[in-house]
Amino acid sequence: NAGVTQTPKFRVLKTGQSMTLLCAQDMNHEYMYWYRQDPGMGLRLIHYSVGEGTTAKGEVPDGYNVSRLKKQNFLLGLESAAPSQTSVYFCASSSGSGEYNEQFFGPGTRLTVL
Amino acid sequence: GQNIDQPTEMTATEGAIVQINCTYQTSGFNGLFWYQQHAGEAPTFLSYNVLDGLEEKGRFSSFLSRSKGYSYLLLKELQMKDSASYLCAVLDSNYQLIWGAGTKLIIKP
């Protein structure tokens, strides 16, 4: 039982390049989330999904796209990376909302955009 | 706007007790979470409060006062491994988690 996994763990991009971050969970959770974490700030929600085939915008969605083609996977795409997207990205999953919203996090992806 | 405030950093001594406070102003309230995050690692769940009062879980306790928009995390018998950041997060009216910036706790021998 691996929980939530993320690939890659580290990445360096040049401005304008694109990339996809992959998140996978083996807990059969319905809800999945992508956050970014920057120094001195709380986790900020980028996009989330309440089930296979559905996605929704979070607090800071600009410059990112997501897809949830399979229940266990949630992909985050950067079409044209910018230095402002340098951050640590965390994926999380939960079995539901409300009081069942205990979120399980992946180990994170450290992205640097030059 | 929505706002969650926590102290940026706290220092405590091994074996002592420390209280980390969190105050919040959010659009609605559906519960408050505390997470622990060691440097370079992912956050992990510590506690959930939705009713007023104290929830105890081993060396950790969490308190909530909804009328005051206030919570605290109490850590007893501090150990060196408790050195970490502690994140307060509130579930708002849309069932979205709003996160504080976290409190970095430094434990000294």
Side-chain angles (χ1 to χ4, degrees):
Chain A
N1 191 346
V4 180
T5 58
Q6 292 182 231
T7 53
K9 287 186 168 55
F10 302 91
R11 187 72 187 267
V12 178
L13 290 179
K14 294 181 180 178
T15 297
Q17 288 185 317
S18 63
M19 77 164 293
T20 300
L21 283 67
L22 171 63
C23 175
Q25 52 94 4
D26 61 2
M27 295 175 283
N28 201 35
H29 283 168
E30 290 293 335
Y31 290 67
M32 295 188 76
Y33 314 83
W34 275 108
Y35 291 97
R36 59 178 290 172
Q37 188 175 40
D38 301 293
M41 302 181 72
L43 288 161
R44 291 184 291 169
L45 184 65
I46 304 171
H47 286 279
Y48 65 100
S49 168
V50 301
E52 181 179 317
T54 73
T55 63
K57 294 180 179 180
E59 179 187 356
V60 289
D62 293 343
Y64 306 94
N65 56 76
V66 288
S67 64
R68 183 107 181 262
L69 298 179
K70 293 183 178 181
K71 185 177 184 179
Q72 63 267 34
N73 295 338
F74 195 29
L75 278 63
L76 177 72
L78 286 72
E79 292 183 346
S80 180
S84 61
Q85 294 178 305
T86 293
S87 187
V88 180
Y89 291 86
F90 286 102
C91 175
S93 71
S94 67
S95 60
S97 62
E99 65 268 32
Y100 304 110
N101 200 9
E102 176 189 342
Q103 295 185 12
F104 296 81
F105 284 80
T109 296
R110 282 149 185 79
L111 175 66
T112 301
V113 183
L114 302 176
Chain B
Q2 309 208 85
N3 195 49
I4 296 183
D5 286 320
Q6 312 177 228
T8 303
E9 186 174 297
M10 298 181 70
T11 302
T13 304
E14 190 177 15
I17 300 173
V18 71
Q19 178 176 311
I20 301 174
N21 295 326
C22 170
T23 57
Y24 63 88
Q25 291 177 305
T26 56
S27 56
F29 179 85
N30 283 298
L32 186 144
F33 292 79
W34 284 96
Y35 280 76
Q36 181 189 58
Q37 184 177 25
H38 285 101
E41 297 183 8
T44 55
F45 171 80
L46 285 177
S47 68
Y48 171 76
N49 294 68
V50 68
L51 300 176
D52 288 353
L54 188 68
E55 295 275 347
E56 296 186 78
K57 194 183 291 186
R59 293 189 300 114
F60 292 10
S61 302
S62 55
F63 172 83
L64 175 67
S65 169
R66 288 174 298 172
S67 63
K68 295 182 179 178
Y70 168 70
S71 173
Y72 68 73
L73 181 69
L74 192 70
L75 291 73
K76 302 177 184 176
E77 301 170 11
L78 285 170
Q79 302 175 9
M80 297 304 292
K81 67 178 182 179
D82 297 329
S83 291
S85 288
Y86 292 85
L87 314 181
C88 173
V90 171
L91 205 57
D92 71 6
S93 57
N94 294 319
Y95 289 95
Q96 302 253 338
L97 269 180
I98 309 300
W99 296 82
T103 298
K104 182 178 181 181
L105 179 62
I106 299 168
I107 310 296
K108 295 186 174 181

PDB file of all heavy atoms in Angstrom, chain B residues 61-95:
ATOM      1  N   SER B  61      -3.019  17.381  21.981  1.00  0.00           N
ATOM      2  CA  SER B  61      -4.422  17.747  22.206  1.00  0.00           C
ATOM      3  C   SER B  61      -4.742  18.934  21.320  1.00  0.00           C
ATOM      4  O   SER B  61      -3.879  19.781  21.068  1.00  0.00           O
ATOM      5  CB  SER B  61      -4.659  18.117  23.675  1.00  0.00           C
ATOM      6  OG  SER B  61      -4.302  17.070  24.535  1.00  0.00           O
ATOM      7  N   SER B  62      -5.993  19.025  20.900  1.00  0.00           N
ATOM      8  CA  SER B  62      -6.412  20.181  20.107  1.00  0.00           C
ATOM      9  C   SER B  62      -7.703  20.731  20.679  1.00  0.00           C
ATOM     10  O   SER B  62      -8.606  19.973  21.053  1.00  0.00           O
ATOM     11  CB  SER B  62      -6.584  19.808  18.634  1.00  0.00           C
ATOM     12  OG  SER B  62      -7.476  18.727  18.478  1.00  0.00           O
ATOM     13  N   PHE B  63      -7.761  22.049  20.756  1.00  0.00           N
ATOM     14  CA  PHE B  63      -8.901  22.743  21.349  1.00  0.00           C
ATOM     15  C   PHE B  63      -9.542  23.648  20.315  1.00  0.00           C
ATOM     16  O   PHE B  63      -8.849  24.225  19.474  1.00  0.00           O
ATOM     17  CB  PHE B  63      -8.443  23.587  22.541  1.00  0.00           C
ATOM     18  CG  PHE B  63      -9.506  24.494  23.097  1.00  0.00           C
ATOM     19  CD1 PHE B  63     -10.436  24.009  24.005  1.00  0.00           C
ATOM     20  CD2 PHE B  63      -9.588  25.819  22.699  1.00  0.00           C
ATOM     21  CE1 PHE B  63     -11.427  24.834  24.512  1.00  0.00           C
ATOM     22  CE2 PHE B  63     -10.573  26.665  23.194  1.00  0.00           C
ATOM     23  CZ  PHE B  63     -11.497  26.157  24.103  1.00  0.00           C
ATOM     24  N   LEU B  64     -10.870  23.772  20.393  1.00  0.00           N
ATOM     25  CA  LEU B  64     -11.596  24.644  19.471  1.00  0.00           C
ATOM     26  C   LEU B  64     -12.623  25.484  20.212  1.00  0.00           C
ATOM     27  O   LEU B  64     -13.360  24.955  21.057  1.00  0.00           O
ATOM     28  CB  LEU B  64     -12.317  23.812  18.402  1.00  0.00           C
ATOM     29  CG  LEU B  64     -13.217  24.581  17.433  1.00  0.00           C
ATOM     30  CD1 LEU B  64     -12.386  25.500  16.538  1.00  0.00           C
ATOM     31  CD2 LEU B  64     -14.046  23.618  16.590  1.00  0.00           C
ATOM     32  N   SER B  65     -12.676  26.783  19.850  1.00  0.00           N
ATOM     33  CA  SER B  65     -13.762  27.667  20.269  1.00  0.00           C
ATOM     34  C   SER B  65     -14.296  28.326  19.001  1.00  0.00           C
ATOM     35  O   SER B  65     -13.665  29.225  18.440  1.00  0.00           O
ATOM     36  CB  SER B  65     -13.269  28.727  21.255  1.00  0.00           C
ATOM     37  OG  SER B  65     -14.269  29.718  21.440  1.00  0.00           O
ATOM     38  N   ARG B  66     -15.442  27.878  18.555  1.00  0.00           N
ATOM     39  CA  ARG B  66     -16.001  28.420  17.315  1.00  0.00           C
ATOM     40  C   ARG B  66     -16.443  29.860  17.485  1.00  0.00           C
ATOM     41  O   ARG B  66     -16.305  30.679  16.573  1.00  0.00           O
ATOM     42  CB  ARG B  66     -17.180  27.558  16.860  1.00  0.00           C
ATOM     43  CG  ARG B  66     -16.759  26.205  16.306  1.00  0.00           C
ATOM     44  CD  ARG B  66     -17.943  25.330  16.015  1.00  0.00           C
ATOM     45  NE  ARG B  66     -18.686  25.043  17.241  1.00  0.00           N
ATOM     46  CZ  ARG B  66     -19.859  24.428  17.269  1.00  0.00           C
ATOM     47  NH1 ARG B  66     -20.435  24.037  16.135  1.00  0.00           N
ATOM     48  NH2 ARG B  66     -20.469  24.181  18.407  1.00  0.00           N
ATOM     49  N   SER B  67     -16.969  30.213  18.660  1.00  0.00           N
ATOM     50  CA  SER B  67     -17.441  31.585  18.871  1.00  0.00           C
ATOM     51  C   SER B  67     -16.293  32.584  18.822  1.00  0.00           C
ATOM     52  O   SER B  67     -16.481  33.736  18.422  1.00  0.00           O
ATOM     53  CB  SER B  67     -18.174  31.692  20.207  1.00  0.00           C
ATOM     54  OG  SER B  67     -17.298  31.400  21.280  1.00  0.00           O
ATOM     55  N   LYS B  68     -15.103  32.150  19.191  1.00  0.00           N
ATOM     56  CA  LYS B  68     -13.940  33.034  19.194  1.00  0.00           C
ATOM     57  C   LYS B  68     -13.085  32.873  17.940  1.00  0.00           C
ATOM     58  O   LYS B  68     -12.113  33.611  17.762  1.00  0.00           O
ATOM     59  CB  LYS B  68     -13.074  32.783  20.435  1.00  0.00           C
ATOM     60  CG  LYS B  68     -13.761  33.139  21.744  1.00  0.00           C
ATOM     61  CD  LYS B  68     -12.845  32.909  22.933  1.00  0.00           C
ATOM     62  CE  LYS B  68     -13.549  33.298  24.232  1.00  0.00           C
ATOM     63  NZ  LYS B  68     -12.692  33.052  25.428  1.00  0.00           N
ATOM     64  N   GLY B  69     -13.410  31.923  17.090  1.00  0.00           N
ATOM     65  CA  GLY B  69     -12.600  31.684  15.899  1.00  0.00           C
ATOM     66  C   GLY B  69     -11.170  31.327  16.278  1.00  0.00           C
ATOM     67  O   GLY B  69     -10.211  31.855  15.713  1.00  0.00           O
ATOM     68  N   TYR B  70     -11.047  30.384  17.195  1.00  0.00           N
ATOM     69  CA  TYR B  70      -9.755  30.127  17.827  1.00  0.00           C
ATOM     70  C   TYR B  70      -9.568  28.642  18.076  1.00  0.00           C
ATOM     71  O   TYR B  70     -10.492  27.922  18.483  1.00  0.00           O
ATOM     72  CB  TYR B  70      -9.703  30.897  19.149  1.00  0.00           C
ATOM     73  CG  TYR B  70      -8.584  30.542  20.078  1.00  0.00           C
ATOM     74  CD1 TYR B  70      -7.267  30.866  19.776  1.00  0.00           C
ATOM     75  CD2 TYR B  70      -8.839  29.894  21.288  1.00  0.00           C
ATOM     76  CE1 TYR B  70      -6.232  30.553  20.646  1.00  0.00           C
ATOM     77  CE2 TYR B  70      -7.821  29.571  22.162  1.00  0.00           C
ATOM     78  CZ  TYR B  70      -6.525  29.913  21.839  1.00  0.00           C
ATOM     79  OH  TYR B  70      -5.503  29.595  22.696  1.00  0.00           O
ATOM     80  N   SER B  71      -8.340  28.215  17.866  1.00  0.00           N
ATOM     81  CA  SER B  71      -7.959  26.839  18.165  1.00  0.00           C
ATOM     82  C   SER B  71      -6.533  26.839  18.687  1.00  0.00           C
ATOM     83  O   SER B  71      -5.764  27.777  18.445  1.00  0.00           O
ATOM     84  CB  SER B  71      -8.046  25.974  16.905  1.00  0.00           C
ATOM     85  OG  SER B  71      -7.524  24.675  17.123  1.00  0.00           O
ATOM     86  N   TYR B  72      -6.191  25.827  19.422  1.00  0.00           N
ATOM     87  CA  TYR B  72      -4.777  25.619  19.756  1.00  0.00           C
ATOM     88  C   TYR B  72      -4.439  24.147  19.727  1.00  0.00           C
ATOM     89  O   TYR B  72      -5.295  23.284  19.921  1.00  0.00           O
ATOM     90  CB  TYR B  72      -4.385  26.252  21.093  1.00  0.00           C
ATOM     91  CG  TYR B  72      -4.987  25.629  22.344  1.00  0.00           C
ATOM     92  CD1 TYR B  72      -4.564  24.396  22.828  1.00  0.00           C
ATOM     93  CD2 TYR B  72      -5.973  26.308  23.067  1.00  0.00           C
ATOM     94  CE1 TYR B  72      -5.104  23.846  23.981  1.00  0.00           C
ATOM     95  CE2 TYR B  72      -6.513  25.782  24.222  1.00  0.00           C
ATOM     96  CZ  TYR B  72      -6.088  24.548  24.671  1.00  0.00           C
ATOM     97  OH  TYR B  72      -6.630  24.008  25.818  1.00  0.00           O
ATOM     98  N   LEU B  73      -3.176  23.896  19.469  1.00  0.00           N
ATOM     99  CA  LEU B  73      -2.604  22.549  19.504  1.00  0.00           C
ATOM    100  C   LEU B  73      -1.650  22.516  20.691  1.00  0.00           C
ATOM    101  O   LEU B  73      -0.769  23.372  20.799  1.00  0.00           O
ATOM    102  CB  LEU B  73      -1.864  22.239  18.209  1.00  0.00           C
ATOM    103  CG  LEU B  73      -1.231  20.863  18.079  1.00  0.00           C
ATOM    104  CD1 LEU B  73      -2.325  19.785  17.968  1.00  0.00           C
ATOM    105  CD2 LEU B  73      -0.310  20.809  16.858  1.00  0.00           C
ATOM    106  N   LEU B  74      -1.850  21.559  21.575  1.00  0.00           N
ATOM    107  CA  LEU B  74      -1.027  21.436  22.775  1.00  0.00           C
ATOM    108  C   LEU B  74      -0.161  20.191  22.648  1.00  0.00           C
ATOM    109  O   LEU B  74      -0.684  19.092  22.422  1.00  0.00           O
ATOM    110  CB  LEU B  74      -1.916  21.333  24.009  1.00  0.00           C
ATOM    111  CG  LEU B  74      -1.235  21.471  25.370  1.00  0.00           C
ATOM    112  CD1 LEU B  74      -0.774  22.911  25.575  1.00  0.00           C
ATOM    113  CD2 LEU B  74      -2.197  21.055  26.488  1.00  0.00           C
ATOM    114  N   LEU B  75       1.133  20.369  22.765  1.00  0.00           N
ATOM    115  CA  LEU B  75       2.060  19.239  22.689  1.00  0.00           C
ATOM    116  C   LEU B  75       2.728  19.071  24.052  1.00  0.00           C
ATOM    117  O   LEU B  75       3.368  19.997  24.559  1.00  0.00           O
ATOM    118  CB  LEU B  75       3.139  19.471  21.628  1.00  0.00           C
ATOM    119  CG  LEU B  75       2.726  19.467  20.156  1.00  0.00           C
ATOM    120  CD1 LEU B  75       1.956  20.722  19.773  1.00  0.00           C
ATOM    121  CD2 LEU B  75       3.945  19.301  19.266  1.00  0.00           C
ATOM    122  N   LYS B  76       2.607  17.884  24.631  1.00  0.00           N
ATOM    123  CA  LYS B  76       3.176  17.610  25.952  1.00  0.00           C
ATOM    124  C   LYS B  76       4.421  16.736  25.811  1.00  0.00           C
ATOM    125  O   LYS B  76       4.612  16.050  24.795  1.00  0.00           O
ATOM    126  CB  LYS B  76       2.153  16.887  26.819  1.00  0.00           C
ATOM    127  CG  LYS B  76       0.852  17.637  27.017  1.00  0.00           C
ATOM    128  CD  LYS B  76      -0.126  16.806  27.826  1.00  0.00           C
ATOM    129  CE  LYS B  76      -1.472  17.482  27.954  1.00  0.00           C
ATOM    130  NZ  LYS B  76      -2.470  16.658  28.666  1.00  0.00           N
ATOM    131  N   GLU B  77       5.238  16.757  26.851  1.00  0.00           N
ATOM    132  CA  GLU B  77       6.433  15.889  26.908  1.00  0.00           C
ATOM    133  C   GLU B  77       7.195  15.953  25.591  1.00  0.00           C
ATOM    134  O   GLU B  77       7.434  14.931  24.939  1.00  0.00           O
ATOM    135  CB  GLU B  77       6.019  14.445  27.227  1.00  0.00           C
ATOM    136  CG  GLU B  77       5.273  14.306  28.539  1.00  0.00           C
ATOM    137  CD  GLU B  77       4.673  12.908  28.710  1.00  0.00           C
ATOM    138  OE1 GLU B  77       4.998  12.009  27.926  1.00  0.00           O
ATOM    139  OE2 GLU B  77       3.854  12.752  29.637  1.00  0.00           O
ATOM    140  N   LEU B  78       7.560  17.150  25.202  1.00  0.00           N
ATOM    141  CA  LEU B  78       8.167  17.376  23.893  1.00  0.00           C
ATOM    142  C   LEU B  78       9.394  16.499  23.671  1.00  0.00           C
ATOM    143  O   LEU B  78      10.234  16.312  24.559  1.00  0.00           O
ATOM    144  CB  LEU B  78       8.545  18.844  23.744  1.00  0.00           C
ATOM    145  CG  LEU B  78       7.384  19.805  23.501  1.00  0.00           C
ATOM    146  CD1 LEU B  78       7.853  21.242  23.615  1.00  0.00           C
ATOM    147  CD2 LEU B  78       6.737  19.537  22.147  1.00  0.00           C
ATOM    148  N   GLN B  79       9.479  15.990  22.446  1.00  0.00           N
ATOM    149  CA  GLN B  79      10.622  15.190  22.021  1.00  0.00           C
ATOM    150  C   GLN B  79      11.283  15.890  20.837  1.00  0.00           C
ATOM    151  O   GLN B  79      10.649  16.685  20.134  1.00  0.00           O
ATOM    152  CB  GLN B  79      10.145  13.782  21.632  1.00  0.00           C
ATOM    153  CG  GLN B  79       9.431  13.063  22.757  1.00  0.00           C
ATOM    154  CD  GLN B  79       8.857  11.720  22.332  1.00  0.00           C
ATOM    155  OE1 GLN B  79       9.118  11.219  21.237  1.00  0.00           O
ATOM    156  NE2 GLN B  79       8.057  11.112  23.204  1.00  0.00           N
ATOM    157  N   MET B  80      12.549  15.568  20.617  1.00  0.00           N
ATOM    158  CA  MET B  80      13.279  16.218  19.521  1.00  0.00           C
ATOM    159  C   MET B  80      12.569  15.979  18.187  1.00  0.00           C
ATOM    160  O   MET B  80      12.568  16.858  17.325  1.00  0.00           O
ATOM    161  CB  MET B  80      14.716  15.724  19.468  1.00  0.00           C
ATOM    162  CG  MET B  80      15.538  16.052  20.717  1.00  0.00           C
ATOM    163  SD  MET B  80      15.572  17.811  21.091  1.00  0.00           S
ATOM    164  CE  MET B  80      16.532  18.435  19.729  1.00  0.00           C
ATOM    165  N   LYS B  81      11.954  14.817  18.031  1.00  0.00           N
ATOM    166  CA  LYS B  81      11.278  14.508  16.777  1.00  0.00           C
ATOM    167  C   LYS B  81      10.038  15.376  16.525  1.00  0.00           C
ATOM    168  O   LYS B  81       9.480  15.351  15.426  1.00  0.00           O
ATOM    169  CB  LYS B  81      10.876  13.034  16.742  1.00  0.00           C
ATOM    170  CG  LYS B  81       9.796  12.663  17.751  1.00  0.00           C
ATOM    171  CD  LYS B  81       9.414  11.194  17.629  1.00  0.00           C
ATOM    172  CE  LYS B  81       8.300  10.820  18.597  1.00  0.00           C
ATOM    173  NZ  LYS B  81       7.908   9.382  18.475  1.00  0.00           N
ATOM    174  N   ASP B  82       9.605  16.128  17.551  1.00  0.00           N
ATOM    175  CA  ASP B  82       8.460  17.029  17.374  1.00  0.00           C
ATOM    176  C   ASP B  82       8.859  18.322  16.667  1.00  0.00           C
ATOM    177  O   ASP B  82       7.999  19.153  16.343  1.00  0.00           O
ATOM    178  CB  ASP B  82       7.832  17.370  18.732  1.00  0.00           C
ATOM    179  CG  ASP B  82       7.271  16.158  19.437  1.00  0.00           C
ATOM    180  OD1 ASP B  82       6.825  15.209  18.744  1.00  0.00           O
ATOM    181  OD2 ASP B  82       7.273  16.140  20.685  1.00  0.00           O
ATOM    182  N   SER B  83      10.150  18.508  16.429  1.00  0.00           N
ATOM    183  CA  SER B  83      10.602  19.672  15.652  1.00  0.00           C
ATOM    184  C   SER B  83      10.039  19.546  14.243  1.00  0.00           C
ATOM    185  O   SER B  83      10.385  18.621  13.498  1.00  0.00           O
ATOM    186  CB  SER B  83      12.137  19.719  15.598  1.00  0.00           C
ATOM    187  OG  SER B  83      12.690  20.008  16.851  1.00  0.00           O
ATOM    188  N   ALA B  84       9.165  20.490  13.891  1.00  0.00           N
ATOM    189  CA  ALA B  84       8.448  20.417  12.616  1.00  0.00           C
ATOM    190  C   ALA B  84       7.627  21.694  12.477  1.00  0.00           C
ATOM    191  O   ALA B  84       7.588  22.515  13.397  1.00  0.00           O
ATOM    192  CB  ALA B  84       7.523  19.194  12.564  1.00  0.00           C
ATOM    193  N   SER B  85       6.971  21.820  11.346  1.00  0.00           N
ATOM    194  CA  SER B  85       5.975  22.888  11.187  1.00  0.00           C
ATOM    195  C   SER B  85       4.600  22.310  11.453  1.00  0.00           C
ATOM    196  O   SER B  85       4.324  21.148  11.095  1.00  0.00           O
ATOM    197  CB  SER B  85       6.036  23.477   9.780  1.00  0.00           C
ATOM    198  OG  SER B  85       7.196  24.244   9.605  1.00  0.00           O
ATOM    199  N   TYR B  86       3.753  23.118  12.085  1.00  0.00           N
ATOM    200  CA  TYR B  86       2.389  22.683  12.414  1.00  0.00           C
ATOM    201  C   TYR B  86       1.417  23.593  11.677  1.00  0.00           C
ATOM    202  O   TYR B  86       1.453  24.818  11.833  1.00  0.00           O
ATOM    203  CB  TYR B  86       2.184  22.707  13.932  1.00  0.00           C
ATOM    204  CG  TYR B  86       3.033  21.634  14.577  1.00  0.00           C
ATOM    205  CD1 TYR B  86       4.356  21.867  14.906  1.00  0.00           C
ATOM    206  CD2 TYR B  86       2.517  20.352  14.785  1.00  0.00           C
ATOM    207  CE1 TYR B  86       5.155  20.873  15.450  1.00  0.00           C
ATOM    208  CE2 TYR B  86       3.295  19.342  15.325  1.00  0.00           C
ATOM    209  CZ  TYR B  86       4.622  19.616  15.650  1.00  0.00           C
ATOM    210  OH  TYR B  86       5.407  18.611  16.167  1.00  0.00           O
ATOM    211  N   LEU B  87       0.594  22.975  10.850  1.00  0.00           N
ATOM    212  CA  LEU B  87      -0.294  23.700   9.953  1.00  0.00           C
ATOM    213  C   LEU B  87      -1.720  23.625  10.450  1.00  0.00           C
ATOM    214  O   LEU B  87      -2.221  22.529  10.731  1.00  0.00           O
ATOM    215  CB  LEU B  87      -0.226  23.101   8.534  1.00  0.00           C
ATOM    216  CG  LEU B  87       1.148  22.798   7.952  1.00  0.00           C
ATOM    217  CD1 LEU B  87       1.004  22.232   6.535  1.00  0.00           C
ATOM    218  CD2 LEU B  87       2.014  24.029   7.937  1.00  0.00           C
ATOM    219  N   CYS B  88      -2.364  24.767  10.539  1.00  0.00           N
ATOM    220  CA  CYS B  88      -3.775  24.869  10.894  1.00  0.00           C
ATOM    221  C   CYS B  88      -4.559  25.075   9.601  1.00  0.00           C
ATOM    222  O   CYS B  88      -4.138  25.857   8.731  1.00  0.00           O
ATOM    223  CB  CYS B  88      -3.958  26.048  11.842  1.00  0.00           C
ATOM    224  SG  CYS B  88      -5.650  26.471  12.263  1.00  0.00           S
ATOM    225  N   ALA B  89      -5.672  24.377   9.447  1.00  0.00           N
ATOM    226  CA  ALA B  89      -6.475  24.504   8.226  1.00  0.00           C
ATOM    227  C   ALA B  89      -7.952  24.438   8.579  1.00  0.00           C
ATOM    228  O   ALA B  89      -8.368  23.606   9.383  1.00  0.00           O
ATOM    229  CB  ALA B  89      -6.119  23.399   7.233  1.00  0.00           C
ATOM    230  N   VAL B  90      -8.737  25.313   7.967  1.00  0.00           N
ATOM    231  CA  VAL B  90     -10.177  25.373   8.235  1.00  0.00           C
ATOM    232  C   VAL B  90     -10.956  24.957   6.994  1.00  0.00           C
ATOM    233  O   VAL B  90     -10.634  25.385   5.882  1.00  0.00           O
ATOM    234  CB  VAL B  90     -10.596  26.806   8.642  1.00  0.00           C
ATOM    235  CG1 VAL B  90     -12.113  26.932   8.715  1.00  0.00           C
ATOM    236  CG2 VAL B  90      -9.966  27.168   9.980  1.00  0.00           C
ATOM    237  N   LEU B  91     -11.969  24.138   7.202  1.00  0.00           N
ATOM    238  CA  LEU B  91     -12.864  23.716   6.121  1.00  0.00           C
ATOM    239  C   LEU B  91     -13.969  24.758   6.022  1.00  0.00           C
ATOM    240  O   LEU B  91     -14.759  24.920   6.963  1.00  0.00           O
ATOM    241  CB  LEU B  91     -13.425  22.341   6.464  1.00  0.00           C
ATOM    242  CG  LEU B  91     -13.892  21.434   5.338  1.00  0.00           C
ATOM    243  CD1 LEU B  91     -12.789  21.177   4.338  1.00  0.00           C
ATOM    244  CD2 LEU B  91     -14.407  20.120   5.909  1.00  0.00           C
ATOM    245  N   ASP B  92     -14.027  25.480   4.887  1.00  0.00           N
ATOM    246  CA  ASP B  92     -14.981  26.595   4.805  1.00  0.00           C
ATOM    247  C   ASP B  92     -16.356  26.112   4.333  1.00  0.00           C
ATOM    248  O   ASP B  92     -16.621  24.915   4.243  1.00  0.00           O
ATOM    249  CB  ASP B  92     -14.418  27.714   3.923  1.00  0.00           C
ATOM    250  CG  ASP B  92     -14.387  27.358   2.443  1.00  0.00           C
ATOM    251  OD1 ASP B  92     -14.906  26.286   2.049  1.00  0.00           O
ATOM    252  OD2 ASP B  92     -13.838  28.152   1.658  1.00  0.00           O
ATOM    253  N   SER B  93     -17.220  27.064   4.032  1.00  0.00           N
ATOM    254  CA  SER B  93     -18.604  26.721   3.684  1.00  0.00           C
ATOM    255  C   SER B  93     -18.707  25.914   2.391  1.00  0.00           C
ATOM    256  O   SER B  93     -19.692  25.214   2.164  1.00  0.00           O
ATOM    257  CB  SER B  93     -19.439  28.001   3.556  1.00  0.00           C
ATOM    258  OG  SER B  93     -18.858  28.869   2.593  1.00  0.00           O
ATOM    259  N   ASN B  94     -17.694  26.013   1.540  1.00  0.00           N
ATOM    260  CA  ASN B  94     -17.651  25.231   0.296  1.00  0.00           C
ATOM    261  C   ASN B  94     -16.893  23.915   0.470  1.00  0.00           C
ATOM    262  O   ASN B  94     -16.569  23.257  -0.518  1.00  0.00           O
ATOM    263  CB  ASN B  94     -16.989  26.046  -0.816  1.00  0.00           C
ATOM    264  CG  ASN B  94     -17.810  27.262  -1.198  1.00  0.00           C
ATOM    265  OD1 ASN B  94     -19.041  27.184  -1.290  1.00  0.00           O
ATOM    266  ND2 ASN B  94     -17.154  28.380  -1.414  1.00  0.00           N
ATOM    267  N   TYR B  95     -16.581  23.578   1.708  1.00  0.00           N
ATOM    268  CA  TYR B  95     -15.814  22.367   2.019  1.00  0.00           C
ATOM    269  C   TYR B  95     -14.432  22.386   1.369  1.00  0.00           C
ATOM    270  O   TYR B  95     -13.899  21.357   0.988  1.00  0.00           O
ATOM    271  CB  TYR B  95     -16.596  21.104   1.641  1.00  0.00           C
ATOM    272  CG  TYR B  95     -17.767  20.866   2.564  1.00  0.00           C
ATOM    273  CD1 TYR B  95     -19.035  21.313   2.219  1.00  0.00           C
ATOM    274  CD2 TYR B  95     -17.583  20.233   3.792  1.00  0.00           C
ATOM    275  CE1 TYR B  95     -20.102  21.126   3.080  1.00  0.00           C
ATOM    276  CE2 TYR B  95     -18.648  20.041   4.657  1.00  0.00           C
ATOM    277  CZ  TYR B  95     -19.900  20.491   4.306  1.00  0.00           C
ATOM    278  OH  TYR B  95     -20.958  20.306   5.153  1.00  0.00           O
TER     279      TYR B  95
END
